[in-house]
Amino acid sequence: MLTDQAEKLRKLADSRRGGARFIAVTSGKGGVGKTNLASGLAIAAADLGLRFILLYAELGLANVDIVLDLSPKCNMSDLVYGKRDVFDLLIDGPGGIRVVPGANGISSFADLDVAKRVELLHHLHKLEHEADLIFVDTSAGISGNVIQFCAAADEVIVVATPEPTAITDAYAIIKTLARTEGTGRLKFLVNQVTNRVEALRIAERVVNVSKEFLRTRVDPFGYVLADPHVPVSVRRRRPFVLEFPYAPASLCVKTLARRLHANPKRERGGFFERLFGFFRRSKAS
Ligand SMILES: Nc1ncnc2c1ncn2[C@@H]1O[C@H](COP(=O)(O)OP(=O)(O)O)[C@@H](O)[C@H]1O
Ligand SMILES: [Mg+2]
């Protein structure tokens, strides 16, 4: 039975051509702004004409309800334990993006048994032709979930703030990702900076340390200014790019979105194939 499932997945992987570019957004430390920046970037990129899906892989947390003020009827756990299709989960979010709510009640992707994992991957695979870009908003830290999503993604945006602990923790996750087979190109985004010079200084340090000590290439992706409009929007449960379109943080995010738009191509093979690789390896163990 497992062989059948593996065979089915293999066929799906083989048939997969084109499709969305998957970008995982992660960090070493929590609370650095991943969720806000991911939704801000998604909305700004959608405004430029990219079809965007935001997938909440922060398993166990009911994120979309709080951040985007959406009331999903089902979430990723219904894919695994219920009779739902991934298209039942896709909900229209603000600013023309679509959202897949995270999985309440599943603490870890790795906790799922093989059959359930296959099922979940099957479902997620269907999204690949639904969008140009799929952001996976992960939780912080080096859990199995985060590593699996990041290793399978086309690119990983590692977010940090200027706080020393955030930078050290970002370095730690880069170190882990650098060791993971199949890791996509790593990008570094520094949030809540006072000015451009501070951002450049921090990014340069992370890029150089990664190169020197990990032999890993990390590309600076840019920066977002510390901006009091962001927490105000969070309290209003509205994305800051929509609530304050001309606020400093919004302008930064729009610049980053233009960067994504200018280079929408995937640079590696398929997200699904790589997740499939994980599935095969975990089956063997
Ligand atoms: N550019 C910014 N300027 C000011 N505050 C910010 C900025 N980005 C994020 N924040 C604040 O940081 C908090 C954590 O952000 P969040 O996106 O939830 O982080 P994460 O998803 O990494 O845990 C939010 O409450 C938000 O108000
Ligand atoms: Mg978050």
Side-chain angles (χ1 to χ4, degrees), residues 37-216:
L37 295 190
S39 45
L41 262 169
I43 292 166
D47 194 46
L48 297 173
L50 290 175
R51 294 176 305 153
F52 221 111
I53 293 177
L54 196 53
L55 196 149
Y56 284 90
E58 250 190 303
L59 304 182
L61 287 183
N63 232 317
V64 273
D65 347 15
I66 299 161
V67 187
L68 298 178
D69 202 15
L70 298 171
S71 318
K73 290 195 181 61
C74 45
N75 61 54
M76 267 201 267
S77 43
D78 296 295
L79 287 183
V80 181
Y81 297 113
K83 296 259 177 284
R84 300 286 190 162
D85 190 80
V86 72
F87 298 105
D88 298 334
L89 264 72
L90 263 183
I91 46 176
D92 288 330
I97 61 168
R98 289 192 294 170
V99 176
V100 177
N104 286 338
I106 301 174
S107 60
S108 166
F109 185 60
D111 288 347
L112 299 173
D113 65 35
V114 170
K116 294 288 179 208
R117 253 190 266 180
V118 172
E119 230 175 291
L120 184 61
L121 296 185
H122 248 295
H123 285 297
L124 295 181
H125 172 56
K126 293 183 204 158
L127 292 176
E128 287 197 292
H129 297 285
E130 285 293 306
D132 301 308
L133 268 166
I134 299 181
F135 263 6
V136 184
D137 181 8
T138 73
S139 47
I142 309 169
S143 75
N145 285 330
V146 176
I147 300 305
Q148 280 181 325
F149 274 109
C150 290
D154 295 302
E155 285 149 57
V156 180
I157 300 179
V158 176
V159 184
T161 64
E163 273 182 47
T165 49
I167 299 172
T168 322
D169 292 350
Y171 179 70
I173 198 143
I174 289 171
K175 193 171 172 181
T176 307
L177 291 173
R179 277 201 303 258
T180 317
E181 190 192 332
T183 297
R185 288 217 296 139
L186 299 176
K187 291 186 160 57
F188 180 71
L189 171 58
V190 56
N191 186 25
Q192 302 196 40
V193 291
T194 319
N195 54 49
R196 187 167 175 272
V197 173
E198 182 184 39
L200 289 176
R201 189 174 49 77
I202 294 168
E204 198 182 347
R205 210 163 83 216
V206 170
V207 168
N208 288 341
V209 168
S210 304
K211 189 171 154 198
E212 191 175 336
F213 296 106
L214 306 174
R215 309 235 167 281
T216 298

